[in-house]
Amino acid sequence: MSRRISFSCLLPIGAAVMALAQPAQAQNFPGTKPITIIVPFTAGGPTDKVARDFAEALRKQLGGASVVVDNAAGAGSSIGTAKAARSAPDGHTLLLNHIGMSTMPSLYRRLPFDVLNDFEYLGIINDVPMTLIGRPTLEANTYAELSQWIASHKNGVNLGNAGLGSASHLCGLMFQDATKISMVPVPYGGTAPAIADLIGGQIDLLCDQTTNTSSHIQSKKVKAYAVTTTERLPGELFQELPTLSESGLTDFNVTIWHGLYAPKGTPQQVLDTLNQALQEALKDPEFIQRQTTLGAVVATDDRIKPAEHKAFVAAEIDKWGTVIRAAGQFAD
């Protein structure tokens, strides 16, 4: 007599095997499977540069594991971020994003993910200061003179940016909020065309990252007026530039920070391994040197820890939400 086997009887056994396999995979992480870091911006941009430098430093700390960068750009970083949120929570797909993690909840009123609840926070990587620069033909030579010039050209100052939700757009919003003067926004499809038009005199001002502006400041193709940090930046190129805070815009502080994230539900053992690797990668002399060359400051404070990273982003969401709602500029 033949015996009929019910597959329904085997399902609990299969589920048990899978449950046992997950801790084993976590213990062996990263294993031989490559780790992919999703960067929600185009290749060659400032965030991509940070990601590729960090990927190499992280690789060293994970025993030489393969770490690759996947550029998934578009919609103010929301496309790549959504892709990361949907990825398998096994530690092999990570997200490296910048300040956009704190501005998307306000810029986009409908997002397919929840920034605070759909990700595991792994730590802040660096902070990139910003500079307020102007066209080379601008009459003002110092920030004090620029402030007077802006006041005398109310509502007629052209303020460029690299697109809605970009670092330069956000800095511009904060600058207008602090000065209480509205300027004419001129959006571009990236930083390169915005700087090209600034050099050419088609726009008046731009606020962008030192990673994008330092070479143009050094070659004197643009005029540099101030930095957006609370303290002056080190180095001969920036040491003479005042901070906007000391210039009268009290507590003005805008830096473009970058952080690392994993999909929600990634095993704690994997998260611990990744955070430990992140903390060690941030001590890598080669990585530090590369970031310094870009004008970035590698994180050393408590934000390199998961809980502090998440608390910092939550505070940034509140800060930028106030500015974005006041400006009434949304992406949807």
Side-chain angles (χ1 to χ4, degrees), residues 81-82 84-87 89 95 101 111-121 261-266 310:
T81 303
R86 295 192 301 266
S87 299
L95 170 71
M101 290 296 277
L111 282 174
F113 53 83
D114 186 313
V115 167
L116 289 176
N117 296 311
D118 288 346
F119 294 94
E120 306 287 358
Y121 284 64
Y261 310 82
K264 188 71 174 180
T266 301
K310 187 172 184 177

Side-chain angles (χ1 to χ4, degrees), residues 153-174:
H153 291 76
K154 280 188 177 180
N155 303 316
V157 179
N158 293 317
L159 179 62
N161 67 67
L164 190 67
S166 65
S168 51
H169 174 237
L170 298 169
C171 185
L173 289 181
M174 185 71 82

Side-chain angles (χ1 to χ4, degrees), residues 179-203:
T179 59
K180 307 304 179 187
I181 296 177
S182 295
M183 303 175 196
V184 181
V186 185
Y188 290 85
T191 299
I195 290 182
D197 270 11
L198 185 72
I199 293 172
Q202 279 74 48
I203 55 175

Side-chain angles (χ1 to χ4, degrees), residues 26 39 48 61 81 84 104 118-119 130 135 138 205 208 228 253 257 259 266 285 295 298:
V39 175
D48 179 69
Q61 301 304 324
T81 303
M104 281 188 290
D118 288 346
F119 294 94
M130 303 193 77
R135 55 181 166 84
L138 202 59
L205 296 173
D208 212 335
T228 64
N253 183 23
W257 43 265
T266 301
V298 175

Side-chain angles (χ1 to χ4, degrees), residues 22 40 71 108 135 148 180 182 196 225 290 293 309 315 332:
Q22 287 183 351
N71 297 97
Y108 294 86
R135 55 181 166 84
Q148 294 177 354
K180 307 304 179 187
S182 295
Y225 293 106
R290 287 179 177 272
T293 301
H309 176 194
D332 56 9

Side-chain angles (χ1 to χ4, degrees), residues 242-256:
T243 68
L244 287 172
S245 184
E246 74 181 75
S247 300
L249 303 185
T250 308
D251 297 327
F252 192 101
N253 183 23
V254 178
T255 58
I256 303 304

